[in-house]
Amino acid sequence: MTSFRLFAGGYVLQSVLIEGGGWGGVNTTVQKSKQLLISTNSRLMWYDYQNDTVGVLSEAQEGVFYGMFPGQMNKLHQSTPVWVITRAKDWKAANSKEYLTEMDTETGQFLRRVEVDSKFTHDAVRRGNRVYVCDTDNGRILVLEFPTMRQIKVLDFFTKADHINTLAPLDDNTLWVVLHRLRKPSMMVEIDLEEGKIVKKFEGIGKMVHGLVEWGKVFVILDSDRGAVMTIHPQTGEKNTIWKAPEEGTFLKGLAVIDDVAFFGANKKAQRRARFDQTLNGDIVAVDLLTETMLWRRQLPTKGLLNIIGAPLLSETSTYKAVYSEKTKIGGHWPSGLPYMDLDRIQNDPTSASFYVRLTTVTVTKILSIVQSKNFWTEEYQKSHNAILEGRQSTLERFKPGIKSVLLIFSSNSGEDPYVFPLFHKLRHLLEPIINKVLGEGCENQVVRMQFASMPPGSEIKPHTDSGGYALKAHRIHVPITTPPGAIFEVCPESSSANDCLRVPMEAGHVFELNNLVRHRAVNAGKRERIHLIVDIRETPLVHKELKEGHVCTYIRGVMNC
């Protein structure tokens, strides 16, 4: 154990790095994307959520940790320090001082501290060469120059009663601020930094709100007093509840979004004095924002109220912008706000990107009632209600023997000139809500291919990678309609053995994007059909051509002729 002591304005900081597993241990070799830094009312600690291990970086006797952002990398040691706010528990005392303190993230050693002209500080964030500090007691926001930490401006817009608690500088000219507002509904405010004025307000966003993380087209916030995770649209103010604690009396605080998962603290409501109780250990909760489901909830040795969660080794914006680990970096967002994979990266090196990305959940009950009919899959039904495509059967039998498909939209192998089949229009009222939820309204013309695929019991889709323009230029979306026990879908990189394949979750209605340039396979060892709606989607619009009932097209050498 290595220990460093620092006397700071009436309280003692002690930096402690303990090697080992479990509580009090940190694995410093784990991927930095899997490490969260957590500041509490007595501790600064790492949490490796993949391996469920904790490492105490620093402890404060009668002190509090708030805020966090990365410093400048030490090129000699290839390590990045972290800056945090340190202040006394008794911040009202005459001799109490508050500091920005720089620490070595590997040894816990204190490198530098700078006194800030702030009282009851609740947040400190960085964007490039600017640092923003919450002077909560005085209702001000301090703007500092990084890395000198010289104060260059004061934004004096608020009061003590507004209780500023969260800062989010989303670009060089825009700063969003959350006002807790004692005994009043919370408020969210946008400040134009160039003009130096407030340009937008959203009142009544919740009660005792904490946190603001930009995720796609919306902000994620914590309606702390209600124990709920919310999204709010920064243009319209429209709110949506993502998750709510099942038990009453849960108070949420501390928020980061990594790989579309929200990590936040959950504590029992307590009087302010009790928040420093060394026997109080808070929970950390992980909620999948795309499927709106809780992944896990774990208690950590916080020794007091959990204040801030971030991933400063992953991004300087980790407390106010959604961030992605290296392998799950996205290419952008659909108009719906949902993410899509980076196709350029996948094309250059398919295994360097995610193998699949969870997107959202949709209702498939009505579709299931249609596709469960055996008549739906017969050639006779397709001839009388749909168009026919001949010439693909030999390829399907080679890689997907026994698999049946019903085409709704289809293209040549190049992914150009897609045709819309008659059955698409007959089922439009069921398909359109799915397209709108994944892509956004008005994006139907970006679909290259859409088909239902049925795997009968005992069938197998052999290991393969998709090729052609439809795979290189489009995103492969799977919508599981029904998945029986025993049906599996696996992604198996070329270098992996069968034992190293990654199994993809396939619950009915849980939509995901597949990296289909990586080898994948499927087996149905269940007792009934596995049915998916499979959609290939471009990022730009296409011109669709319409087919009539009974029309027969041919597919020769990858070219569709109708």
Side-chain angles (χ1 to χ4, degrees), residues 447-459:
V447 176
V448 179
R449 293 183 173 187
M450 178 186 291
Q451 58 190 307
F452 288 112
S454 174
M455 289 187 69
S459 62

Side-chain angles (χ1 to χ4, degrees), residues 417-478:
D417 302 320
Y419 288 85
V420 179
F421 284 61
L423 205 54
F424 172 82
H425 294 294
K426 295 178 181 179
L427 299 177
R428 177 189 288 274
H429 64 292
L430 300 176
L431 299 169
E432 199 169 62
I434 295 175
I435 297 172
N436 289 348
K437 190 164 185 182
V438 175
L439 296 185
E441 295 186 7
C443 297
E444 180 185 302
N445 58 359
Q446 293 173 226
V447 176
V448 179
R449 293 183 173 187
M450 178 186 291
Q451 58 190 307
F452 288 112
S454 174
M455 289 187 69
S459 62
E460 176 185 7
I461 297 177
K462 298 177 181 179
H464 69 286
T465 59
D466 294 342
S467 59
Y470 77 92
L472 294 172
K473 300 173 185 176
H475 299 267
R476 168 62 56 88
I477 307 296
H478 275 252

Side-chain angles (χ1 to χ4, degrees), residues 33 106 117 147 334 350 378 388 394 470 543:
S33 62
E106 295 185 1
D117 182 25
W334 301 112
T378 64
I388 301 297
S394 60
Y470 77 92
V543 177

Side-chain angles (χ1 to χ4, degrees), residues 203-261:
E203 300 195 39
I205 60 173
K207 189 176 179 183
M208 300 185 184
V209 169
H210 291 81
L212 187 158
V213 175
E214 183 184 46
W215 177 64
K217 307 292 184 181
V218 298
F219 295 161
V220 182
I221 61 174
L222 301 177
D223 190 350
S224 302
D225 194 57
R226 197 166 65 91
V229 180
M230 309 281 294
T231 60
I232 182 168
H233 198 288
Q235 301 303 321
T236 65
E238 180 183 355
K239 294 186 293 183
N240 178 48
T241 299
I242 297 290
W243 179 87
K244 187 178 185 302
E247 71 282 359
E248 295 297 323
T250 297
F251 186 81
L252 307 184
K253 197 175 183 186
L255 174 67
V257 175
I258 303 172
D259 297 338
D260 301 312
V261 174

Side-chain angles (χ1 to χ4, degrees), residues 151-411:
Q151 183 173 306
I152 57 176
K153 188 186 294 185
V154 175
L155 303 174
D156 197 357
F157 294 119
F158 310 109
T159 67
K160 178 178 180 177
D162 285 325
H163 195 86
I164 314 167
N165 69 17
T166 304
L167 301 176
L170 300 184
D171 59 47
D172 291 340
N173 295 321
T174 304
L175 176 67
W176 282 89
V177 182
V178 173
L179 307 180
H180 178 295
R181 302 183 84 195
L182 303 176
R183 293 177 291 279
K184 288 184 179 180
S186 298
M187 179 188 293
M188 193 170 73
V189 174
E190 181 186 0
I191 298 174
D192 184 318
L193 295 172
E194 187 174 7
E195 296 290 331
K197 63 181 182 181
I198 293 174
V199 294
K200 190 178 293 182
K201 293 181 180 180
F202 288 114
E203 300 195 39
I205 60 173
K207 189 176 179 183
M208 300 185 184
V209 169
H210 291 81
L212 187 158
V213 175
E214 183 184 46
W215 177 64
K217 307 292 184 181
V218 298
F219 295 161
V220 182
I221 61 174
L222 301 177
D223 190 350
S224 302
D225 194 57
R226 197 166 65 91
V229 180
M230 309 281 294
T231 60
I232 182 168
H233 198 288
Q235 301 303 321
T236 65
E238 180 183 355
K239 294 186 293 183
N240 178 48
T241 299
I242 297 290
W243 179 87
K244 187 178 185 302
E247 71 282 359
E248 295 297 323
T250 297
F251 186 81
L252 307 184
K253 197 175 183 186
L255 174 67
V257 175
I258 303 172
D259 297 338
D260 301 312
V261 174
F263 297 91
F264 53 92
N267 304 269
K268 289 182 180 180
K269 286 183 184 177
Q271 295 295 322
R272 185 168 298 277
R273 195 175 288 274
R275 297 177 183 180
F276 296 90
D277 186 347
Q278 296 284 296
T279 65
L280 174 65
N281 288 318
D283 292 352
I284 185 170
V285 186
V287 168
D288 186 326
L289 294 174
L290 297 169
T291 60
E292 301 185 2
T293 55
M294 187 179 77
L295 303 177
W296 47 259
R297 181 172 179 171
R298 302 166 185 166
Q299 188 178 85
L300 299 184
T302 58
K303 285 193 173 183
L305 184 69
L306 189 154
N307 293 321
I308 301 286
I309 296 176
L313 297 188
L314 190 58
S315 171
E316 73 179 35
T317 67
S318 69
T319 59
Y320 59 88
K321 277 194 172 189
V323 295
Y324 293 85
S325 53
E326 187 61 27
K327 197 153 189 170
T328 54
K329 282 185 176 175
I330 61 172
H333 292 85
W334 301 112
S336 66
L338 294 178
Y340 56 76
M341 290 185 180
D342 186 339
L343 290 183
D344 290 337
R345 180 175 182 171
I346 291 174
Q347 290 169 19
N348 291 332
D349 181 5
T351 59
S352 71
S354 292
F355 297 152
Y356 72 95
V357 173
R358 303 176 305 273
L359 292 180
T360 187
T361 56
V362 295
T363 301
V364 296
T365 308
K366 292 182 179 179
I367 290 179
L368 177 60
S369 66
I370 293 172
V371 300
Q372 274 184 323
S373 168
K374 291 185 178 180
N375 185 51
F376 179 79
W377 300 91
T378 64
E379 186 175 351
E380 291 75 16
Y381 182 88
Q382 294 303 311
K383 284 181 178 179
S384 59
H385 293 82
N386 208 13
I388 301 297
L389 180 61
E390 297 179 342
R392 297 178 66 236
Q393 199 57 35
S394 60
T395 301
L396 292 175
E397 285 298 326
R398 192 184 329 154
F399 294 103
K400 305 176 181 180
I403 307 304
K404 298 177 181 179
S405 66
V406 172
L407 304 182
L408 303 169
I409 299 175
F410 210 74
S411 71

